[in-house]
Amino acid sequence: MTLRARFALWICLMMLATLGAFGAFVYFSVSHWLSSNLDDSLRLGATQLIATADIDDGKFQVNDDPVTLDTGLTDQLRSQGLSIQIFSTSGAVLQSLGPYASLTLEPADLHAALAGRSDLQTRPDPEGTGSVRVLTQPMLINGKVEAVVQIAQSVRSIDALRERLLLSLLLGSPIIVAAAGVGGYYLAGRALRPIDHIVATARRISAHDLTDRLGLPPSRDEVGRLAGTFDEMLGRLDEAFQRERRFSNDAAHELRTPLAAMQSILSVIAEQRRTPAEYEAALTDLSEETDKLRALTDDLLRLARAEASEPLWEPVDLAELVPDVVDSLRPLTDPDRVRLSCLTDGDTSVVGDTDALIRLLVNLLDNAIKHTPTGSIAVTVQGLPDEVTVAVTDTGDGIAAEHLPHVFDRFYRAEESRTTSGTGLGLAICREIARSHGGDIEVESEPGAGSTFTVRLSRDPRA
């Protein structure tokens, strides 16, 4: 079942339940109101009759006149469909009028009336056409029960109203539910129309072309947010695929270079017999190319692990780790030409992967040492409330402004850097490590004035 059909079905079920509850409430409320009105009418008629009655020679009189069928009050009560009977305290009928004058006074009703209590009952219609509501009430004269008044009225009209109301509810509810279902189906179609557009777009998209977008008008509703999120996801996927394509092409190019050099050396050597010195020179060249190939392969593996593997989290105090790394790389510098220093400030403890952080620091320092033939290299570790920053500042060659946006791209090397050893993956690895630790890396540089690489690390990337 489609989402649109399920939505319409749910609306029908909800409307059916709501109308059922509301209809039951209306039906029972109206029934109670009609019954209460009938009982109130009986009580009012009995009260009026008692208030105007008098006793004269064993007969009840109304307004000092004998009770007859054309008496004003009795005519009024009879016009309301009421039947009136007046019994003596022994249960004998004194006066009666109306269609239900044949109703008898039950012994229990007589006993209750003599005790000063009134009673309301529903009895079968003597004509067998329904039910009759009967009120039995004592007539007190000077505080003494002198007679018993019984007033009755048929409930056929009330039953008819109830049946008509029930029929209206039973016939009207399905019509309303059906209309709500049709309306819900139509509205669901309008609301879900962008979803169909999303599905169609998703089917058109492939790994070879991620440039297509939904392009729906901006909206703040759920579907609008979904469409916006879908476009953002496509943008990220497109960027990731482009980056992977560049990575694959660059990796193939970088791997091809040492392999081509090795193949060329071997071809030249194999053309004819060579002297031992020539063979040694060829082996030396092959060893250098092999070292380049191994370094490139190692960096590719490190980058893949930095992206895919889960870091081995443990407490790390950068105030201890960073000076150790600096001291271990100090032999690579000429102390007469380059001054290497380290400064820590504040709480520098973080949760991180020690090996990955060492690799990050080694790459940054190695990069600074290669591009700072003379001058100074300063490593500063500073503890902030939510993070720790590590800044590597050198006074070396610097980086031109056009190269700054690309220094962290894989295999990217500025033209002046291609004469130095390296694979072009060191800074890319640094960025992946920094991001896996809940931070990032930034660079500020000016040609001839040096560079500053700043790494931000979260206190606890798992939080």
Side-chain angles (χ1 to χ4, degrees):
M1 186 180 295
T2 63
L3 181 61
R4 184 178 181 182
R6 288 202 302 268
F7 182 78
L9 178 61
W10 274 109
I11 285 186
C12 289
L13 293 176
M14 291 178 62
M15 286 295 296
L16 186 61
T18 303
L19 287 175
F22 178 73
F25 172 77
V26 170
Y27 178 78
F28 288 109
S29 296
V30 172
S31 296
H32 177 73
W33 178 76
L34 291 172
S35 298
S36 298
N37 277 354
L38 176 59
D39 292 344
D40 292 341
S41 176
L42 294 175
R43 291 190 183 96
L44 179 61
T47 301
Q48 290 176 333
L49 185 63
I50 293 172
T52 58
D54 194 7
I55 298 177
D56 185 14
D57 296 331
K59 280 198 165 187
F60 288 97
Q61 298 190 7
V62 179
N63 293 329
D64 297 330
D65 292 326
V67 177
T68 59
L69 294 178
D70 58 350
T71 301
L73 176 60
T74 55
D75 285 345
Q76 177 186 350
L77 296 177
R78 189 174 56 180
S79 67
Q80 298 174 6
L82 297 175
S83 294
I84 303 170
Q85 292 193 83
I86 301 177
F87 300 89
S88 67
T89 56
S90 62
V93 179
L94 299 179
Q95 294 200 20
S96 66
L97 58 95
Y100 305 113
S102 61
L103 287 173
T104 61
L105 180 64
E106 299 292 337
D109 296 338
L110 177 60
H111 183 270
L114 294 177
R117 299 191 306 270
S118 59
D119 183 49
L120 270 168
Q121 292 182 355
T122 301
R123 298 182 186 179
D125 189 336
E127 300 177 359
T129 58
S131 300
V132 179
R133 190 69 170 168
V134 180
L135 171 65
T136 304
Q137 185 166 322
M139 180 180 292
L140 300 176
I141 304 296
N142 298 322
K144 182 181 177 181
V145 178
E146 297 292 345
V148 178
V149 176
Q150 189 175 73
I151 296 184
Q153 186 174 18
S154 173
V155 297
R156 283 197 301 269
S157 60
I158 295 178
D159 291 340
L161 287 175
R162 287 174 177 168
E163 291 176 1
R164 192 174 299 123
L165 176 61
L166 181 60
L167 183 62
S168 299
L169 293 174
L170 292 178
L171 292 179
S173 296
I175 296 175
I176 295 175
V177 169
V182 173
Y185 190 80
Y186 172 74
L187 293 177
R190 288 181 58 87
L192 297 176
R193 191 171 299 162
I195 303 296
D196 295 334
H197 187 44
I198 293 175
V199 172
T201 303
R203 288 175 176 170
R204 290 197 305 269
I205 293 172
S206 67
H208 301 288
D209 183 14
L210 293 171
T211 58
D212 201 359
R213 298 291 183 271
L214 297 177
L216 295 178
S219 175
R220 302 182 68 178
D221 59 16
E222 291 80 357
V223 176
R225 292 199 300 270
L226 174 62
T229 303
F230 189 79
D231 280 344
E232 293 174 2
M233 180 192 69
L234 290 177
R236 292 193 299 269
L237 287 175
D238 189 21
E239 182 181 352
F241 271 85
Q242 294 295 337
R243 186 168 61 249
E244 292 303 321
R245 290 193 186 100
R246 290 195 300 269
F247 174 75
S248 300
N249 294 334
D250 292 341
H253 174 75
E254 295 293 334
L255 290 170
R256 188 184 299 115
T257 300
L259 288 174
M262 295 169 67
Q263 183 64 41
S264 177
I265 293 170
L266 291 173
S267 298
V268 171
I269 292 297
E271 288 178 354
Q272 60 184 6
R273 289 185 177 275
R274 304 291 180 177
T275 63
E278 290 176 329
Y279 282 121
E280 290 179 0
L283 290 175
T284 301
D285 291 341
L286 287 173
S287 178
E288 291 178 355
E289 296 300 328
T290 302
D291 289 340
K292 292 179 182 179
L293 190 60
R294 179 185 56 79
L296 178 59
T297 304
D298 289 343
D299 282 347
L300 285 172
L301 289 175
R302 291 191 186 98
L303 183 59
R305 289 169 182 167
E307 291 178 338
S309 62
E310 181 69 19
L312 182 61
W313 303 115
E314 59 182 345
V316 180
D317 189 355
L318 295 178
E320 298 179 1
L321 180 65
V322 174
D324 289 344
V325 175
V326 172
D327 291 339
S328 66
L329 295 180
R330 197 177 297 276
L332 299 179
T333 63
D334 184 351
D336 296 330
R337 303 180 65 184
V338 178
R339 182 169 60 88
L340 183 59
S341 62
C342 180
L343 175 66
T344 62
D345 179 28
D347 179 13
T348 59
S349 60
V350 297
V351 174
D353 188 328
T354 302
D355 293 338
L357 292 175
I358 291 175
R359 170 57 54 187
L360 183 150
L361 294 170
V362 167
N363 284 353
L364 290 179
L365 283 171
D366 181 66
N367 188 65
I369 291 171
K370 288 178 181 178
H371 296 282
T372 309
T374 59
S376 63
I377 301 174
V379 182
T380 304
V381 185
Q382 184 176 11
L384 300 175
D386 298 325
E387 62 183 12
V388 177
T389 62
V390 179
V392 179
T393 304
D394 64 67
T395 58
D397 302 332
I399 305 171
E402 64 268 20
H403 298 305
L404 285 178
H406 307 288
V407 294
F408 297 108
D409 294 346
R410 301 166 182 177
F411 300 111
Y412 184 84
R413 286 188 290 171
E415 293 299 327
E416 58 269 20
S417 301
R418 294 189 179 273
T419 56
T420 62
S421 61
T423 62
L425 290 174
L427 292 178
I429 293 174
C430 291
R431 182 175 62 178
E432 293 299 331
I433 294 174
R435 288 180 175 177
S436 69
H437 284 72
D440 209 340
I441 184 171
E442 301 171 351
V443 60
E444 295 179 1
S445 184
E446 185 177 345
S451 306
T452 298
F453 288 85
T454 303
V455 180
R456 295 181 289 103
L457 301 173
S458 173
R459 290 284 186 182
D460 189 350
R462 302 167 301 176

